[in-house]
Amino acid sequence: MLTRGEILAWLRERDEARLQELWRRADAVRRERVGDEVHLRGLVEISNHCARACAYCGIRAGRSGLPRYRMGPEEILGCAAAAARLGFGTLVLQSGEDPALTAAWVADLVRAVKAATPLAVTLSLGERDETDLALWRAAGADRYLLRFETSDRSLFDRIHPAPPGRRSDRLAQLRTLAALGYEVGSGVMVGIPGQSLASLADDILLFRDLDLDMIGVGPYLAHPETPLGRPAGGGAPAFPDAGGDQAPSDELTACKVVALARLACPRANIPSTTALATINRADGREHGLLRGANVVMPNLTPPAYRARDEIYPDKACRDEDVETCAERLRCRLAAIGRRAGSGRGDARAPERLRAGPGAERCRCP
Ligand code: 5AD
């Protein structure tokens, strides 16, 4: 089991030859514990309305000049049909924190997708009440993604202004999701201004403590239309960095976190994220897959909406249609000796998922 000291030493390692050892170990654990299949999850960004004002995010509340959209159920079902046709095992429904997506509306949508396709359904709709989460689980939702972004509470609070009368408690929500029988995903951004390498080591230990089923990690990408991404003017910066221990927001550090997440949580499903593919368009996606990742999430959002869902600028794959994207992806997987997964790519035994709320958490691979 990796100690905090070992994790931190890897995060600080700069020697390329030594890092080959980290990549080799992460890849070996990935192969042994989750195999060579790369699970494809079709991502649909169903709404870019957001009630929150996260300092780094391009769809934050109050950003003017961004056209907002909310997809209708028929359009979303069209995307679900495309996911099934393309052989993906999972549909991921993601949005800003949008109160207009009412609990009943989402539950109806989940039921409709489950009735029309064999897909697993993953929700990624932000911080929501336990009653909503329970309703969606009962409607058939299988998984939920909510990144905690950083385990450093004061950094979290600086970049996530609390909504009036409420304090974010993402860790409590992650525990609630597990108790409801969801497969639970979380993760972090790497290189947030103010994030130290020491706090990143704590993030990785928290992945293990939470016994996550899915772990999403990507580099922080500055968005110029946000408070965190705007070039600093004169005077004291509003978001000071962590000095000599500041985590770099680069591909290498993000890959280290992917590799260390694999070593800390051997059975987890870990995507090679779009943010990684964006920061290194040539082979960021492959680097993730060769350093611990076993999932890719092709974007199924209709092209008309895609440019409007800018959580960070210039997202990879933004302008490709989904057929082309899926075909190219399969070629790229074959080129690194991997193949697209068949089936849903669950992290836990299906009996446990069927058991639903109250089921004991399975710890087997
Ligand atoms: N850079 C990188 N990742 C970002 N996200 C949001 N904004 C940015 C950004 N500027 C990530 C967050 C969120 C996920 C959906 O996208 O980690 O949880």
Side-chain angles (χ1 to χ4, degrees):
M1 193 130 102
L2 281 173
T3 64
R4 186 173 187 277
E6 286 165 337
I7 292 172
L8 201 45
W10 280 123
L11 291 173
R12 296 197 169 130
E13 182 62 66
R14 285 158 193 252
D15 184 284
E16 288 206 12
R18 299 263 286 281
L19 282 167
Q20 293 305 321
E21 174 62 14
L22 176 61
W23 311 144
R24 194 197 56 72
R25 279 171 60 186
D27 197 44
V29 171
R30 187 271 310 153
R31 186 176 310 112
E32 188 186 320
R33 300 298 293 268
V34 295
D36 281 338
E37 289 197 331
V38 175
H39 302 296
L40 304 183
R41 325 286 205 200
L43 175 69
V44 187
E45 294 150 330
I46 63 175
S47 160
N48 72 347
H49 290 264
C50 193
R52 305 292 291 272
C54 306
Y56 50 86
C57 183
I59 64 164
R60 65 198 301 272
R63 178 179 165 200
S64 55
L66 178 74
R68 304 279 176 168
Y69 70 89
R70 192 175 289 120
M71 291 172 67
E74 290 307 319
E75 267 179 314
I76 298 169
L77 285 169
C79 297
R85 189 176 69 241
L86 292 164
F88 302 169
T90 299
L91 188 71
V92 182
L93 301 175
Q94 190 165 65
S95 75
E97 217 164 283
D98 181 359
L101 301 184
T102 64
W105 186 92
V106 174
D108 285 346
L109 178 65
V110 170
R111 268 190 294 271
V113 172
K114 301 294 284 192
T117 71
L119 300 169
V121 171
T122 302
L123 299 177
S124 178
L125 307 176
E127 296 175 27
R128 301 285 300 222
D129 289 342
E130 179 166 358
T131 44
D132 299 3
L133 302 173
L135 190 71
W136 301 339
R137 176 78 185 122
D142 301 280
R143 312 184 186 131
Y144 203 99
L145 303 175
L146 180 69
R147 291 189 183 178
F148 60 77
E149 313 293 1
T150 171
S151 59
D152 174 342
R153 184 72 219 194
S154 82
L155 174 60
F156 182 93
D157 289 342
R158 276 206 301 285
I159 61 175
H160 298 92
R166 188 150 72 87
R167 185 172 191 260
S168 287
D169 192 345
R170 293 194 175 187
L171 301 186
Q173 179 165 332
L174 293 171
R175 283 188 278 268
T176 298
L177 288 162
L180 289 168
Y182 281 93
E183 274 190 48
V184 180
S186 192
V188 297
M189 288 181 292
V190 174
I192 308 165
Q195 182 184 45
S196 64
L197 288 173
S199 85
L200 258 185
D202 291 332
D203 296 348
I204 292 162
L205 292 173
L206 187 53
F207 296 160
R208 184 159 72 199
D209 287 352
L210 291 168
D211 189 24
L212 294 174
D213 301 301
M214 302 169 283
I215 302 169
V217 170
Y220 160 69
L221 300 165
H223 192 305
E225 299 294 321
T226 62
L228 197 62
R230 215 166 276 143
F239 300 98
D241 76 13
D245 201 37
Q246 170 64 43
S249 59
D250 60 10
E251 190 204 1
L252 183 69
T253 315
C255 279
K256 288 180 185 178
V257 178
V258 167
L260 292 164
R262 171 60 65 204
L263 297 181
C265 303
R267 67 171 187 89
N269 281 321
I270 300 180
S272 182
T273 55
T274 305
L276 202 52
T278 299
I279 203 168
N280 173 1
R281 283 174 185 270
D283 44 20
R285 188 79 85 191
E286 282 81 354
H287 283 166
L289 290 169
L290 293 168
R291 297 168 178 180
N294 70 321
V295 168
V296 173
M297 298 168 68
N299 197 333
L300 291 179
T301 311
Y305 299 127
R306 281 217 221 151
R308 302 196 221 163
D309 200 79
E310 282 207 307
I311 51 180
Y312 45 78
D314 207 19
K315 257 187 175 182
C317 250
R318 197 181 73 181
D319 303 319
E320 277 172 21
D321 75 83
V322 64
E323 268 82 11
T324 314
C325 195
E327 205 174 303
R328 282 191 42 201
L329 185 58
R330 285 177 200 275
C331 292
R332 290 175 75 158
L333 294 180
I336 56 168
R338 306 278 279 279
R339 60 181 184 277
S342 54
R344 300 174 10 139
D346 291 313
R348 282 190 276 160
E351 315 81 64
R352 300 283 176 168
L353 285 174
R354 271 201 298 277
E360 193 198 328
R361 301 261 286 144
C362 174
R363 285 168 192 274
C364 52

